[in-house]
């Protein structure tokens, strides 16, 4: 059994190493955030978590191995201070860390985000001394603790929709001496009792900007939001809020991914072959291959987000090399099938899904393939539009489709 003194000594050394690693990655631009990383004991916020095994199981599912100090002290502590996202919950079910079991597949619904992204998020939100902040998505509480260490607990409010997650986070925070305002609440509606905030920072992604968040920010304050959708294209936007409640700001560079707010998660769409059965037999040749938005590159990652704005209710899946596009709102569908070095498209419904994406790709190429930082998001009244001087405006749709 490892003694408490040994644990704290080991953890302190690993925190210093983590801070050095994040400094090398150029995400600790502020000495206050470096001090926070060197001070906050991340291991107290992750008494157990899952790491993926090296190989998948016989059905192709990811094998998730539980990691706790009782199972493997060294692996647990080193992972806690690695720049890695640690999955702490699947499918909304709280694990029994006293008797954890291996999982096969499942959808992660809570995690401790990799520290470099946490530090980068607080820095990109332009948080400085004296600011009051609202964090949407407490999760394990590690990010909350960093904010408390940097700003003081009285300046931090954090909400989470999952009562069990918040209870665990609250226990870890209070044990470490941090006393922020915590509440079980749907972060899409903010937290009026503590408004007005200088900054709002979301640690979950949303399809559209929640208007209540803008109304809880002081004029000139800022809101940092990860944006995503049902194509799993991601971006981040930093909005500056005006006195009339409107807001505008740029997309931020770089590639990220956050778990979706649960109310904004994609719906089930059924069997892809059922959708394909209603498509015309005669295909056309695709002007653009699907890997323009599916490849594991930064360009494709960015393009998938833009394509998602063009067809905001579309979902995509690959079955045996055939790419299926499904829109559960309009009832439209499309398939892309590889054939002799080209792609054949079949599509039907009120929206020609791949044709609309191709129009976006054509315009994107003609505009010189602008990066995320060349786009701005405008929110005014009931309208939310992504804007670039050489492209048509792309509206973000309401979260209910």
């Amino acid at each position: 059994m490892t003694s408490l003194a040994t644990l704290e000594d080991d953890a302190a050394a690993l925190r210093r190493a983590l801070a050095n690693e994040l400094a090398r990655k150029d995400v600790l631009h502020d000495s206050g955030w470096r001090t926070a990383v060197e001070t906050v004991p991340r291991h107290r916020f992750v008494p157990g978590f899952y790491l993926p095994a090296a190989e998948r199981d016989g059905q192709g599912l990811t094998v998730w191995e539980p990691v706790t100090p009782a199972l493997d002290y060294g692996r647990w502590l080193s992972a806690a201070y690695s720049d890695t996202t640690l999955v702490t919950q699947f499918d909304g079910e709280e694990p029994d860390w006293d008797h954890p079991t291996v999982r096969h597949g499942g959808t992660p619904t809570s995690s401790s985000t990799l520290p470099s992204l946490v530090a980068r998020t607080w820095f990109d939100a332009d948080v400085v001394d004296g600011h009051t902040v609202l964090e949407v998505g407490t999760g394990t509480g590690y990010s909350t603790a960093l904010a408390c260490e940097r700003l003081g607990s009285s300046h931090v409010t954090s909400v989470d929709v999952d009562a069990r997650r918040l209870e665990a986070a609250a226990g870890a925070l209070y044990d470490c001496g941090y006393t922020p305002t915590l509440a079980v609440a749907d972060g899409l509606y903010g937290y009026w009792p503590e408004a007005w905030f200088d900054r709002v920072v979301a640690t979950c992604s949303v399809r559209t900007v929640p208007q209540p968040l803008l109304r809880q920010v002081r004029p000139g304050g800022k809101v940092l939001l990860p944006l995503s959708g049902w194509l799993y294209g991601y971006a981040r936007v930093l909005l500056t809020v005006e006195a009339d409640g409107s807001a505008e700001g740029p997309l931020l560079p770089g590639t990220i991914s956050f778990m979706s707010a649960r109310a904004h998660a994609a719906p089930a769409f059924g069997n892809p072959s059922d959708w394909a059965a209603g498509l015309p037999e005669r295909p056309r040749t695709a002007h653009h291959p699907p890997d323009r938005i599916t490849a594991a590159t930064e360009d494709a990652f960015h393009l998938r987000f833009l394509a998602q704005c063009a067809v905001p209710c579309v979902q995509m899946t690959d079955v045996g090399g055939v790419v299926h596009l499904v829109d559960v709102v309009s009832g439209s569908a499309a398939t892309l099938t590889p054939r002799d070095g080209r792609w054949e498209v079949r599509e039907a419904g009120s929206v020609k899904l791949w044709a609309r994406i191709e129009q976006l790709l054509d315009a994107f190429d003609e505009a010189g393939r602008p990066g995320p930082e060349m786009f701005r998001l405008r929110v005014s009244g009931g309208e939310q539009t992504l804007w670039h001087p050489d492209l048509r405006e792309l509206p973000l749709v309401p979260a209910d489709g």
Side-chain angles (χ1 to χ4, degrees):
M1 178 67 71
T2 303
S3 70
L4 180 59
T6 300
L7 169 59
E8 295 305 325
D9 287 344
D10 291 345
L14 289 170
R15 283 199 295 277
R16 290 192 293 271
L18 175 61
N20 289 334
E21 179 183 355
L22 300 191
R24 288 194 299 270
K25 292 181 176 180
D26 200 29
V27 296
L28 289 180
H29 303 275
D30 179 300
S31 60
W33 291 115
R34 176 169 185 136
T35 298
V37 171
E38 291 178 336
T39 303
V40 174
R42 191 187 187 203
H43 67 278
R44 296 209 195 168
F45 296 88
V46 284
F49 47 84
Y50 289 94
L51 292 177
E55 297 182 359
R56 294 176 178 266
D57 67 11
Q59 296 180 312
L61 298 175
T62 300
V63 178
W64 293 96
E65 298 174 340
V67 181
T68 68
L71 291 173
D72 189 331
Y73 169 80
R75 187 186 189 194
W76 167 73
L77 193 61
S78 63
Y81 289 103
S82 65
D83 192 26
T84 304
T85 292
L86 306 174
V87 177
T88 55
Q89 186 192 77
F90 286 91
D91 304 314
E93 300 174 359
E94 199 67 20
D96 177 2
W97 291 118
D98 291 329
H99 305 91
T101 58
V102 173
R103 293 189 60 102
H104 293 254
T107 301
T109 48
S110 188
S111 67
S112 180
T113 303
L114 66 162
S116 61
L117 181 52
V118 173
R120 175 181 165 193
T121 297
W122 284 120
F123 180 80
D124 285 345
D126 194 22
V127 174
V128 299
D129 290 341
H131 278 166
T132 57
V133 302
L134 169 65
E135 179 187 43
V136 176
T138 311
T140 64
Y142 175 67
S143 173
T144 317
L146 291 176
C148 290
E149 184 65 37
R150 176 70 172 80
L151 301 172
S153 296
S154 64
H155 286 61
V156 179
T157 299
S158 186
V159 299
D160 201 291
V161 72
D162 188 323
R164 292 172 298 177
R165 283 280 82 217
L166 191 73
E167 181 180 7
L173 285 162
Y174 297 153
D175 284 347
C176 292
Y178 302 118
T179 56
T181 297
L182 300 174
V184 177
D186 187 337
L188 301 182
Y189 298 95
Y191 195 63
W192 282 103
E194 295 294 318
W196 303 93
F197 300 102
D198 295 297
R199 297 290 186 270
V200 173
V201 174
T203 61
C204 57
S205 62
V206 293
R207 291 183 70 204
T208 58
V209 178
Q211 295 279 1
L213 296 183
L214 302 184
R215 294 196 291 269
Q216 294 177 32
V217 175
R218 302 177 194 277
K222 297 181 181 182
V223 178
L224 179 61
L225 291 172
L227 301 170
S228 69
W230 297 347
L231 275 182
Y232 300 103
Y234 293 86
R236 291 187 305 156
V237 64
L238 182 62
L239 297 168
T240 300
V241 180
E242 304 297 332
D244 63 0
S246 63
E248 183 174 336
L251 298 188
L252 301 181
T255 59
I256 57 89
S257 63
F258 281 90
M259 294 179 187
S260 295
R262 296 185 187 184
H264 286 197
F269 58 80
N271 188 337
S273 63
D274 291 340
W275 291 84
L279 299 179
E281 293 185 7
R282 185 166 184 169
R284 67 171 177 86
T285 299
H287 304 312
H288 293 277
D291 60 10
R292 285 292 305 271
I293 65 171
T294 61
T297 65
E298 286 199 17
D299 286 344
F301 200 87
H302 173 46
L303 270 177
R304 194 183 314 172
F305 175 75
L306 298 180
Q308 178 177 272
C309 295
V311 282
C313 297
V314 164
Q315 298 178 70
M316 179 171 57
T317 188
D318 185 313
V319 180
V322 177
V323 177
H324 294 255
L325 301 173
V326 172
D327 184 335
V328 299
V329 175
S330 71
S332 304
T335 60
L336 290 97
T337 305
R339 189 88 64 195
D340 300 327
R342 59 191 176 91
W343 287 86
E344 293 182 345
V345 182
R346 296 189 300 145
E347 51 193 343
S350 59
V351 181
K352 298 301 182 282
L353 302 178
W354 192 247
R356 184 168 290 185
I357 292 176
E358 287 179 324
Q359 291 172 1
L360 180 279
L361 295 176
D362 286 340
F364 177 79
D365 291 342
E366 291 172 5
R369 303 188 175 189
E373 63 278 7
M374 301 299 293
F375 290 81
R376 295 185 70 81
L377 181 63
R378 296 171 174 170
V379 182
S380 180
E383 296 184 352
Q384 301 187 20
T385 53
L386 192 64
W387 180 85
H388 180 275
D390 297 325
L391 292 169
R392 67 180 177 87
E393 290 188 344
L394 297 170
L396 301 184
V397 297
D400 60 4

